[in-house]
Amino acid sequence: MKTESVTHFSMDASDVGPLVLGRDFAMDELEQAARIAGVGISPAALRVMEQHYAMDTMQTTATTASIAAPAQFLQNWLPGFVTVISAARKADEIVGISTVGSWEDDSIVLQELELTGAPTPYNDLNVVPLASWNANYVQRHVVRFEQGIKVAPLEAARSARANVASDAQKRASAALQLEIQRNAVAFYGYNSGSNMTYGLTNDTNLPSWTTVATVGGHTTWVDKTFLEIQGDLLTAFQALRTQSQDTIEPEKTPITMTISTNRMEYLGKTSDFGISVIKWLKEFYPNVRVVSCPQFNGVNGGANGFMLHADSVNDGFSTDDGRTFVQVVPAKFQMVGAMQTSKGYEEDYVNATAGTMVKRPYAVVRYSGI
C-alpha cells in the first residue's frame, strides 16, 4: 500500500512576500504554521519581528564588513607647514652689505692712499723735503651663481589641491639657495682658478690668529673661570687699541665681537659676586655688539675663535665710508629670464658677489683656542 505525503501549505510565486499577521494567518493558526518548513516561532517573538523587519530581510551581509567612518573623515589638520631650517646667515649682520656695480662686472677695486713725507730741521740752504703720496689698488673678482625653477601645469594643479603654491615655493627656494651661497662666499670666498674672491675668515689682509692665554694647562673657555675669560677679552681690547695707536678707543668706538656659536653661552659664566662676563662686557664696553656665528666654530684649524673689529674708523683723511669690512654685492637676487613651454614655464635667477674685503686690517684682532 502507498502512503502519500500531506501538503500542509502552498503558495503561488506571485503571492510570496513578507509574512504578515492577519493577512497570511492569525495567531491561533501558529501551531499549524509551525508545520511549515522553517517557520516555528513563538507568538511573542513574531510580534517583535513584525514591528521591525520582514521575514525575507533575514539574510547574510552582501557587502564587505567595514568601520562606520573611514580614518580620513576623522583627521584634523594643523594649519601651516613647518619648514626645514638652514644655518643662520650672519655675514650681513656682522659686516653689512654694499650694493656696488652691476652683476656683469668683472671685479671690484679698492683704492688705498698713503701720505708720505719726512720733515727735516729747517735750514736756509737745505733742499726742501717734499711730501708726497702713494696709491695702491686692491682687486676682488665678482663671482655669479644661478638658480632656476620649472613648473608644470599638472604639478601646479595638484599641489594647489594640497594648499601649496608650487611656483611660489620654488621661487622662495631659489632665493634662499642663492642667499645661502652668497653668505658662504662672504665667509670663505670662492676659488674658481685664478680669481681673487675672499671672505671674512680668509681675506689675505686679515691679521693672523692669536691663541688666548693658557691657564692651568688649558685655553678653552669651557675650563676657564669668569676672571680668566675676562682676561682674554681685556687682552683683545688692549691689542685693538694698541695696534690702531689709539685711533680706536674700545670704550667709545662701536665694535663688533664675532664669536663661535658653540662658545657664546660661556659669556654667561659668573664671578663670585654673581656678575656674568656678558654683563661686565656691556657695562664697561657699552658700544660692543656681540654676534654668535656658526662659521666661527673650529674656524682656525679646528679651534674655536672670536674676532673684534671696529665697525668704522674716522681717521680724518679717508674719503670712503670708514668701514673696516665691506661685503660687495652687485646683485643680490635678479631674474635673468622666463620661458613659456607647452607644458609649463621656466625661470632663471642669479646673484653676484665679490665676497668680503677687509679695508682696515689694523681695526681687527682675532683670537682662537677658546
Side-chain angles (χ1 to χ4, degrees):
M1 174 181 280
K2 184 171 77 172
T3 303
E4 295 183 358
S5 298
V6 178
T7 301
H8 297 287
F9 181 79
S10 66
M11 181 183 293
D12 291 337
S14 60
D15 294 326
V16 175
L19 187 66
V20 180
L21 289 175
R23 188 192 71 182
D24 297 313
F25 49 80
M27 279 292 182
D28 57 1
E29 297 175 323
L30 280 175
E31 290 183 0
Q32 296 180 18
R35 292 192 295 271
I36 301 174
V39 181
I41 311 170
S42 69
L46 192 60
R47 289 190 187 96
V48 174
M49 294 173 63
E50 182 187 34
Q51 293 173 5
H52 294 285
Y53 47 80
M55 290 293 291
D56 61 355
T57 61
M58 297 175 64
Q59 58 183 344
T60 305
T61 303
T63 59
T64 304
S66 66
I67 60 175
Q72 59 264 36
F73 296 110
L74 303 176
Q75 294 176 335
N76 197 314
W77 293 43
L78 294 175
F81 287 86
V82 177
T83 304
V84 178
I85 67 168
S86 59
R89 296 172 297 282
K90 294 294 189 78
D92 296 352
E93 184 179 351
I94 296 170
V95 299
I97 180 172
S98 297
T99 303
V100 180
S102 303
W103 79 288
E104 70 270 17
D105 288 341
D106 177 71
S107 60
I108 301 295
V109 181
L110 171 68
Q111 303 177 92
E112 292 181 341
L113 184 66
E114 180 183 9
L115 303 180
T116 62
T120 61
Y122 176 78
N123 188 300
D124 282 343
L125 302 178
N126 281 358
V127 176
V128 176
L130 301 176
S132 188
W133 54 273
N134 183 52
N136 281 284
Y137 304 94
V138 181
Q139 187 178 39
R140 293 291 183 266
H141 288 101
V142 175
V143 292
R144 285 163 288 274
F145 300 94
E146 68 175 326
Q147 182 76 68
I149 70 167
K150 187 174 183 179
V151 183
L154 181 59
E155 167 199 355
R158 286 186 169 180
S159 63
R161 294 283 289 272
N163 296 321
V164 178
S166 185
D167 55 348
Q169 294 302 323
K170 287 186 175 183
R171 288 190 193 96
S173 178
L176 174 63
Q177 304 311 317
L178 288 172
E179 280 294 277
I180 291 174
Q181 184 64 52
R182 180 178 66 83
N183 184 75
V185 175
F187 278 102
Y188 306 119
Y190 189 79
N191 182 8
S192 62
S194 59
N195 71 309
M196 292 182 292
T197 307
Y198 300 100
L200 187 62
T201 62
N202 62 2
D203 189 276
T204 55
N205 290 326
L206 282 167
S208 301
W209 290 96
T210 301
T211 303
V212 295
T214 301
V215 180
H218 53 255
T219 64
T220 60
W221 286 2
V222 177
D223 303 307
K224 286 186 174 181
T225 65
F226 166 89
L227 290 176
E228 292 164 351
I229 295 174
Q230 181 193 45
D232 290 342
L233 295 177
L234 288 172
T235 299
F237 283 116
Q238 185 58 54
L240 193 60
R241 181 191 295 271
T242 300
Q243 70 184 30
S244 70
Q245 295 296 289
D246 252 349
T247 301
I248 298 171
E249 298 176 280
E251 72 280 4
K252 298 178 182 179
T253 305
I255 292 172
T256 295
M257 176 180 175
T258 306
I259 182 173
S260 303
T261 297
N262 59 12
R263 288 296 180 267
M264 179 69 181
E265 303 311 315
Y266 293 103
L267 293 177
K269 285 194 173 184
T270 58
S271 68
D272 294 338
F273 302 100
I275 300 174
S276 66
V277 177
I278 191 70
K279 184 177 180 179
W280 163 81
L281 187 63
K282 291 181 178 180
E283 181 177 351
F284 286 90
Y285 299 99
N287 291 318
V288 173
R289 186 172 57 101
V290 181
V291 180
S292 62
C293 175
Q295 284 79 11
F296 271 49
N297 294 343
V299 65
N300 183 30
N304 300 303
F306 73 90
M307 178 179 73
L308 297 178
H309 78 269
D311 293 342
S312 62
V313 179
N314 182 11
D315 55 26
F317 294 96
S318 299
T319 57
D320 68 336
D321 55 14
R323 289 194 215 171
T324 298
F325 286 101
V326 59
Q327 181 193 181
V328 181
V329 182
K332 198 168 183 283
F333 186 70
Q334 179 174 315
M335 175 181 275
V336 175
M339 178 180 67
Q340 182 71 44
T341 67
S342 59
K343 291 187 177 181
Y345 58 92
E346 185 175 300
E347 298 172 359
D348 191 33
Y349 299 92
V350 298
N351 70 4
T353 177
T356 303
M357 180 189 303
V358 57
K359 299 199 292 181
R360 290 170 170 80
Y362 65 82
V364 183
V365 294
R366 304 195 296 172
Y367 286 83
S368 69
I370 64 171

PDB file of all heavy atoms in Angstrom, residues 202-230:
ATOM      1  N   ASN A 202      89.139  84.486   5.572  1.00  0.00           N
ATOM      2  CA  ASN A 202      90.391  84.184   4.868  1.00  0.00           C
ATOM      3  C   ASN A 202      90.903  85.306   3.964  1.00  0.00           C
ATOM      4  O   ASN A 202      91.754  85.057   3.101  1.00  0.00           O
ATOM      5  CB  ASN A 202      90.234  82.900   4.046  1.00  0.00           C
ATOM      6  CG  ASN A 202      89.156  83.017   2.966  1.00  0.00           C
ATOM      7  OD1 ASN A 202      88.529  84.062   2.786  1.00  0.00           O
ATOM      8  ND2 ASN A 202      88.936  81.926   2.246  1.00  0.00           N
ATOM      9  N   ASP A 203      90.404  86.532   4.133  1.00  0.00           N
ATOM     10  CA  ASP A 203      90.953  87.629   3.330  1.00  0.00           C
ATOM     11  C   ASP A 203      92.450  87.739   3.583  1.00  0.00           C
ATOM     12  O   ASP A 203      92.915  87.617   4.726  1.00  0.00           O
ATOM     13  CB  ASP A 203      90.250  88.949   3.688  1.00  0.00           C
ATOM     14  CG  ASP A 203      90.627  90.067   2.739  1.00  0.00           C
ATOM     15  OD1 ASP A 203      91.678  90.700   2.965  1.00  0.00           O
ATOM     16  OD2 ASP A 203      89.885  90.302   1.769  1.00  0.00           O
ATOM     17  N   THR A 204      93.209  87.972   2.531  1.00  0.00           N
ATOM     18  CA  THR A 204      94.673  87.966   2.641  1.00  0.00           C
ATOM     19  C   THR A 204      95.220  89.098   3.509  1.00  0.00           C
ATOM     20  O   THR A 204      96.362  89.029   3.959  1.00  0.00           O
ATOM     21  CB  THR A 204      95.299  88.063   1.238  1.00  0.00           C
ATOM     22  OG1 THR A 204      94.784  89.225   0.563  1.00  0.00           O
ATOM     23  CG2 THR A 204      94.961  86.826   0.425  1.00  0.00           C
ATOM     24  N   ASN A 205      94.433  90.138   3.753  1.00  0.00           N
ATOM     25  CA  ASN A 205      94.907  91.262   4.566  1.00  0.00           C
ATOM     26  C   ASN A 205      94.525  91.159   6.032  1.00  0.00           C
ATOM     27  O   ASN A 205      94.844  92.053   6.829  1.00  0.00           O
ATOM     28  CB  ASN A 205      94.369  92.581   3.999  1.00  0.00           C
ATOM     29  CG  ASN A 205      95.003  92.937   2.669  1.00  0.00           C
ATOM     30  OD1 ASN A 205      96.175  92.648   2.439  1.00  0.00           O
ATOM     31  ND2 ASN A 205      94.232  93.534   1.775  1.00  0.00           N
ATOM     32  N   LEU A 206      93.845  90.085   6.409  1.00  0.00           N
ATOM     33  CA  LEU A 206      93.455  89.911   7.808  1.00  0.00           C
ATOM     34  C   LEU A 206      94.672  89.613   8.683  1.00  0.00           C
ATOM     35  O   LEU A 206      95.613  88.940   8.248  1.00  0.00           O
ATOM     36  CB  LEU A 206      92.455  88.764   7.941  1.00  0.00           C
ATOM     37  CG  LEU A 206      91.011  89.050   7.554  1.00  0.00           C
ATOM     38  CD1 LEU A 206      90.228  87.744   7.436  1.00  0.00           C
ATOM     39  CD2 LEU A 206      90.352  89.981   8.566  1.00  0.00           C
ATOM     40  N   PRO A 207      94.674  90.086   9.934  1.00  0.00           N
ATOM     41  CA  PRO A 207      95.775  89.734  10.845  1.00  0.00           C
ATOM     42  C   PRO A 207      95.712  88.260  11.216  1.00  0.00           C
ATOM     43  O   PRO A 207      94.654  87.621  11.117  1.00  0.00           O
ATOM     44  CB  PRO A 207      95.513  90.626  12.066  1.00  0.00           C
ATOM     45  CG  PRO A 207      94.050  90.902  12.030  1.00  0.00           C
ATOM     46  CD  PRO A 207      93.679  90.969  10.577  1.00  0.00           C
ATOM     47  N   SER A 208      96.816  87.711  11.626  1.00  0.00           N
ATOM     48  CA  SER A 208      96.882  86.293  11.996  1.00  0.00           C
ATOM     49  C   SER A 208      96.089  86.024  13.270  1.00  0.00           C
ATOM     50  O   SER A 208      95.839  86.918  14.078  1.00  0.00           O
ATOM     51  CB  SER A 208      98.340  85.875  12.201  1.00  0.00           C
ATOM     52  OG  SER A 208      99.098  86.078  11.023  1.00  0.00           O
ATOM     53  N   TRP A 209      95.726  84.748  13.442  1.00  0.00           N
ATOM     54  CA  TRP A 209      95.075  84.333  14.669  1.00  0.00           C
ATOM     55  C   TRP A 209      96.088  84.268  15.806  1.00  0.00           C
ATOM     56  O   TRP A 209      97.228  83.850  15.615  1.00  0.00           O
ATOM     57  CB  TRP A 209      94.431  82.957  14.505  1.00  0.00           C
ATOM     58  CG  TRP A 209      93.230  82.934  13.610  1.00  0.00           C
ATOM     59  CD1 TRP A 209      93.188  82.611  12.287  1.00  0.00           C
ATOM     60  CD2 TRP A 209      91.887  83.246  13.986  1.00  0.00           C
ATOM     61  NE1 TRP A 209      91.905  82.703  11.803  1.00  0.00           N
ATOM     62  CE2 TRP A 209      91.076  83.089  12.831  1.00  0.00           C
ATOM     63  CE3 TRP A 209      91.270  83.637  15.186  1.00  0.00           C
ATOM     64  CZ2 TRP A 209      89.701  83.305  12.853  1.00  0.00           C
ATOM     65  CZ3 TRP A 209      89.897  83.854  15.188  1.00  0.00           C
ATOM     66  CH2 TRP A 209      89.135  83.696  14.041  1.00  0.00           C
ATOM     67  N   THR A 210      95.666  84.664  16.984  1.00  0.00           N
ATOM     68  CA  THR A 210      96.482  84.573  18.180  1.00  0.00           C
ATOM     69  C   THR A 210      95.778  83.657  19.171  1.00  0.00           C
ATOM     70  O   THR A 210      94.565  83.784  19.377  1.00  0.00           O
ATOM     71  CB  THR A 210      96.686  85.958  18.830  1.00  0.00           C
ATOM     72  OG1 THR A 210      97.320  86.822  17.892  1.00  0.00           O
ATOM     73  CG2 THR A 210      97.539  85.849  20.082  1.00  0.00           C
ATOM     74  N   THR A 211      96.515  82.739  19.779  1.00  0.00           N
ATOM     75  CA  THR A 211      95.920  81.832  20.753  1.00  0.00           C
ATOM     76  C   THR A 211      95.774  82.538  22.091  1.00  0.00           C
ATOM     77  O   THR A 211      96.691  83.222  22.542  1.00  0.00           O
ATOM     78  CB  THR A 211      96.781  80.572  20.917  1.00  0.00           C
ATOM     79  OG1 THR A 211      96.936  79.930  19.646  1.00  0.00           O
ATOM     80  CG2 THR A 211      96.139  79.592  21.884  1.00  0.00           C
ATOM     81  N   VAL A 212      94.620  82.374  22.709  1.00  0.00           N
ATOM     82  CA  VAL A 212      94.386  83.012  24.008  1.00  0.00           C
ATOM     83  C   VAL A 212      95.308  82.400  25.059  1.00  0.00           C
ATOM     84  O   VAL A 212      95.926  81.353  24.835  1.00  0.00           O
ATOM     85  CB  VAL A 212      92.917  82.858  24.441  1.00  0.00           C
ATOM     86  CG1 VAL A 212      91.992  83.599  23.494  1.00  0.00           C
ATOM     87  CG2 VAL A 212      92.523  81.383  24.525  1.00  0.00           C
ATOM     88  N   ALA A 213      95.385  83.046  26.204  1.00  0.00           N
ATOM     89  CA  ALA A 213      96.320  82.637  27.255  1.00  0.00           C
ATOM     90  C   ALA A 213      96.016  81.220  27.762  1.00  0.00           C
ATOM     91  O   ALA A 213      94.856  80.814  27.859  1.00  0.00           O
ATOM     92  CB  ALA A 213      96.250  83.621  28.401  1.00  0.00           C
ATOM     93  N   THR A 214      97.081  80.498  28.061  1.00  0.00           N
ATOM     94  CA  THR A 214      96.958  79.178  28.674  1.00  0.00           C
ATOM     95  C   THR A 214      96.970  79.334  30.183  1.00  0.00           C
ATOM     96  O   THR A 214      97.895  79.921  30.754  1.00  0.00           O
ATOM     97  CB  THR A 214      98.114  78.264  28.236  1.00  0.00           C
ATOM     98  OG1 THR A 214      98.100  78.139  26.803  1.00  0.00           O
ATOM     99  CG2 THR A 214      97.996  76.888  28.867  1.00  0.00           C
ATOM    100  N   VAL A 215      95.954  78.810  30.835  1.00  0.00           N
ATOM    101  CA  VAL A 215      95.844  78.898  32.294  1.00  0.00           C
ATOM    102  C   VAL A 215      95.599  77.501  32.842  1.00  0.00           C
ATOM    103  O   VAL A 215      94.611  76.852  32.472  1.00  0.00           O
ATOM    104  CB  VAL A 215      94.693  79.841  32.719  1.00  0.00           C
ATOM    105  CG1 VAL A 215      94.608  79.914  34.250  1.00  0.00           C
ATOM    106  CG2 VAL A 215      94.870  81.221  32.129  1.00  0.00           C
ATOM    107  N   GLY A 216      96.512  77.045  33.681  1.00  0.00           N
ATOM    108  CA  GLY A 216      96.357  75.712  34.256  1.00  0.00           C
ATOM    109  C   GLY A 216      96.387  74.619  33.216  1.00  0.00           C
ATOM    110  O   GLY A 216      95.731  73.588  33.373  1.00  0.00           O
ATOM    111  N   GLY A 217      97.111  74.853  32.119  1.00  0.00           N
ATOM    112  CA  GLY A 217      97.250  73.847  31.076  1.00  0.00           C
ATOM    113  C   GLY A 217      96.131  73.837  30.057  1.00  0.00           C
ATOM    114  O   GLY A 217      96.084  72.951  29.203  1.00  0.00           O
ATOM    115  N   HIS A 218      95.216  74.809  30.118  1.00  0.00           N
ATOM    116  CA  HIS A 218      94.115  74.832  29.147  1.00  0.00           C
ATOM    117  C   HIS A 218      93.872  76.249  28.640  1.00  0.00           C
ATOM    118  O   HIS A 218      94.236  77.235  29.287  1.00  0.00           O
ATOM    119  CB  HIS A 218      92.820  74.281  29.773  1.00  0.00           C
ATOM    120  CG  HIS A 218      92.448  74.953  31.065  1.00  0.00           C
ATOM    121  ND1 HIS A 218      92.627  74.353  32.288  1.00  0.00           N
ATOM    122  CD2 HIS A 218      91.917  76.179  31.318  1.00  0.00           C
ATOM    123  CE1 HIS A 218      92.210  75.171  33.235  1.00  0.00           C
ATOM    124  NE2 HIS A 218      91.781  76.283  32.679  1.00  0.00           N
ATOM    125  N   THR A 219      93.284  76.321  27.455  1.00  0.00           N
ATOM    126  CA  THR A 219      92.948  77.626  26.863  1.00  0.00           C
ATOM    127  C   THR A 219      91.442  77.783  26.663  1.00  0.00           C
ATOM    128  O   THR A 219      90.958  78.906  26.512  1.00  0.00           O
ATOM    129  CB  THR A 219      93.622  77.787  25.482  1.00  0.00           C
ATOM    130  OG1 THR A 219      93.099  76.813  24.567  1.00  0.00           O
ATOM    131  CG2 THR A 219      95.128  77.649  25.590  1.00  0.00           C
ATOM    132  N   THR A 220      90.700  76.674  26.623  1.00  0.00           N
ATOM    133  CA  THR A 220      89.282  76.740  26.268  1.00  0.00           C
ATOM    134  C   THR A 220      88.439  77.370  27.365  1.00  0.00           C
ATOM    135  O   THR A 220      88.695  77.188  28.560  1.00  0.00           O
ATOM    136  CB  THR A 220      88.740  75.338  25.961  1.00  0.00           C
ATOM    137  OG1 THR A 220      88.899  74.507  27.116  1.00  0.00           O
ATOM    138  CG2 THR A 220      89.495  74.719  24.793  1.00  0.00           C
ATOM    139  N   TRP A 221      87.402  78.082  26.928  1.00  0.00           N
ATOM    140  CA  TRP A 221      86.502  78.743  27.872  1.00  0.00           C
ATOM    141  C   TRP A 221      85.635  77.749  28.633  1.00  0.00           C
ATOM    142  O   TRP A 221      85.055  78.091  29.665  1.00  0.00           O
ATOM    143  CB  TRP A 221      85.629  79.752  27.127  1.00  0.00           C
ATOM    144  CG  TRP A 221      86.395  80.981  26.726  1.00  0.00           C
ATOM    145  CD1 TRP A 221      87.718  81.228  26.920  1.00  0.00           C
ATOM    146  CD2 TRP A 221      85.871  82.129  26.062  1.00  0.00           C
ATOM    147  NE1 TRP A 221      88.076  82.455  26.429  1.00  0.00           N
ATOM    148  CE2 TRP A 221      86.954  83.038  25.888  1.00  0.00           C
ATOM    149  CE3 TRP A 221      84.616  82.482  25.587  1.00  0.00           C
ATOM    150  CZ2 TRP A 221      86.795  84.267  25.261  1.00  0.00           C
ATOM    151  CZ3 TRP A 221      84.455  83.716  24.967  1.00  0.00           C
ATOM    152  CH2 TRP A 221      85.534  84.611  24.811  1.00  0.00           C
ATOM    153  N   VAL A 222      85.541  76.530  28.138  1.00  0.00           N
ATOM    154  CA  VAL A 222      84.808  75.505  28.873  1.00  0.00           C
ATOM    155  C   VAL A 222      85.440  75.320  30.245  1.00  0.00           C
ATOM    156  O   VAL A 222      84.746  75.112  31.251  1.00  0.00           O
ATOM    157  CB  VAL A 222      84.823  74.172  28.098  1.00  0.00           C
ATOM    158  CG1 VAL A 222      84.120  73.074  28.881  1.00  0.00           C
ATOM    159  CG2 VAL A 222      84.175  74.345  26.734  1.00  0.00           C
ATOM    160  N   ASP A 223      86.762  75.402  30.306  1.00  0.00           N
ATOM    161  CA  ASP A 223      87.501  75.141  31.542  1.00  0.00           C
ATOM    162  C   ASP A 223      87.864  76.410  32.306  1.00  0.00           C
ATOM    163  O   ASP A 223      88.275  76.334  33.461  1.00  0.00           O
ATOM    164  CB  ASP A 223      88.797  74.374  31.219  1.00  0.00           C
ATOM    165  CG  ASP A 223      88.522  73.069  30.489  1.00  0.00           C
ATOM    166  OD1 ASP A 223      87.719  72.278  31.001  1.00  0.00           O
ATOM    167  OD2 ASP A 223      89.088  72.863  29.405  1.00  0.00           O
ATOM    168  N   LYS A 224      87.730  77.576  31.664  1.00  0.00           N
ATOM    169  CA  LYS A 224      88.161  78.814  32.309  1.00  0.00           C
ATOM    170  C   LYS A 224      87.071  79.410  33.196  1.00  0.00           C
ATOM    171  O   LYS A 224      85.876  79.181  32.987  1.00  0.00           O
ATOM    172  CB  LYS A 224      88.601  79.835  31.259  1.00  0.00           C
ATOM    173  CG  LYS A 224      89.937  79.520  30.627  1.00  0.00           C
ATOM    174  CD  LYS A 224      90.410  80.637  29.705  1.00  0.00           C
ATOM    175  CE  LYS A 224      91.827  80.370  29.190  1.00  0.00           C
ATOM    176  NZ  LYS A 224      92.312  81.448  28.313  1.00  0.00           N
ATOM    177  N   THR A 225      87.517  80.202  34.156  1.00  0.00           N
ATOM    178  CA  THR A 225      86.604  80.882  35.067  1.00  0.00           C
ATOM    179  C   THR A 225      86.217  82.248  34.500  1.00  0.00           C
ATOM    180  O   THR A 225      86.714  82.675  33.452  1.00  0.00           O
ATOM    181  CB  THR A 225      87.263  81.079  36.432  1.00  0.00           C
ATOM    182  OG1 THR A 225      88.386  81.972  36.278  1.00  0.00           O
ATOM    183  CG2 THR A 225      87.754  79.755  37.002  1.00  0.00           C
ATOM    184  N   PHE A 226      85.340  82.927  35.221  1.00  0.00           N
ATOM    185  CA  PHE A 226      84.942  84.281  34.849  1.00  0.00           C
ATOM    186  C   PHE A 226      86.161  85.179  34.674  1.00  0.00           C
ATOM    187  O   PHE A 226      86.303  85.870  33.653  1.00  0.00           O
ATOM    188  CB  PHE A 226      84.017  84.857  35.932  1.00  0.00           C
ATOM    189  CG  PHE A 226      83.803  86.339  35.832  1.00  0.00           C
ATOM    190  CD1 PHE A 226      82.776  86.867  35.068  1.00  0.00           C
ATOM    191  CD2 PHE A 226      84.651  87.226  36.504  1.00  0.00           C
ATOM    192  CE1 PHE A 226      82.583  88.240  34.968  1.00  0.00           C
ATOM    193  CE2 PHE A 226      84.468  88.600  36.411  1.00  0.00           C
ATOM    194  CZ  PHE A 226      83.436  89.107  35.637  1.00  0.00           C
ATOM    195  N   LEU A 227      87.059  85.170  35.648  1.00  0.00           N
ATOM    196  CA  LEU A 227      88.217  86.061  35.598  1.00  0.00           C
ATOM    197  C   LEU A 227      89.144  85.713  34.437  1.00  0.00           C
ATOM    198  O   LEU A 227      89.736  86.608  33.820  1.00  0.00           O
ATOM    199  CB  LEU A 227      88.982  86.005  36.922  1.00  0.00           C
ATOM    200  CG  LEU A 227      88.271  86.632  38.125  1.00  0.00           C
ATOM    201  CD1 LEU A 227      89.094  86.419  39.399  1.00  0.00           C
ATOM    202  CD2 LEU A 227      88.036  88.124  37.894  1.00  0.00           C
ATOM    203  N   GLU A 228      89.262  84.438  34.114  1.00  0.00           N
ATOM    204  CA  GLU A 228      90.155  84.027  33.031  1.00  0.00           C
ATOM    205  C   GLU A 228      89.582  84.409  31.660  1.00  0.00           C
ATOM    206  O   GLU A 228      90.318  84.835  30.774  1.00  0.00           O
ATOM    207  CB  GLU A 228      90.418  82.524  33.121  1.00  0.00           C
ATOM    208  CG  GLU A 228      91.249  82.146  34.355  1.00  0.00           C
ATOM    209  CD  GLU A 228      91.208  80.673  34.690  1.00  0.00           C
ATOM    210  OE1 GLU A 228      90.409  79.942  34.075  1.00  0.00           O
ATOM    211  OE2 GLU A 228      91.978  80.244  35.575  1.00  0.00           O
ATOM    212  N   ILE A 229      88.270  84.264  31.481  1.00  0.00           N
ATOM    213  CA  ILE A 229      87.636  84.699  30.237  1.00  0.00           C
ATOM    214  C   ILE A 229      87.700  86.219  30.122  1.00  0.00           C
ATOM    215  O   ILE A 229      87.975  86.765  29.040  1.00  0.00           O
ATOM    216  CB  ILE A 229      86.166  84.216  30.183  1.00  0.00           C
ATOM    217  CG1 ILE A 229      86.117  82.686  30.134  1.00  0.00           C
ATOM    218  CG2 ILE A 229      85.452  84.804  28.961  1.00  0.00           C
ATOM    219  CD1 ILE A 229      84.716  82.108  30.225  1.00  0.00           C
ATOM    220  N   GLN A 230      87.473  86.891  31.240  1.00  0.00           N
ATOM    221  CA  GLN A 230      87.584  88.351  31.250  1.00  0.00           C
ATOM    222  C   GLN A 230      88.985  88.787  30.841  1.00  0.00           C
ATOM    223  O   GLN A 230      89.168  89.749  30.089  1.00  0.00           O
ATOM    224  CB  GLN A 230      87.249  88.880  32.639  1.00  0.00           C
ATOM    225  CG  GLN A 230      87.308  90.399  32.745  1.00  0.00           C
ATOM    226  CD  GLN A 230      87.273  90.871  34.187  1.00  0.00           C
ATOM    227  OE1 GLN A 230      87.973  90.307  35.047  1.00  0.00           O
ATOM    228  NE2 GLN A 230      86.460  91.882  34.469  1.00  0.00           N
TER     229      GLN A 230
END
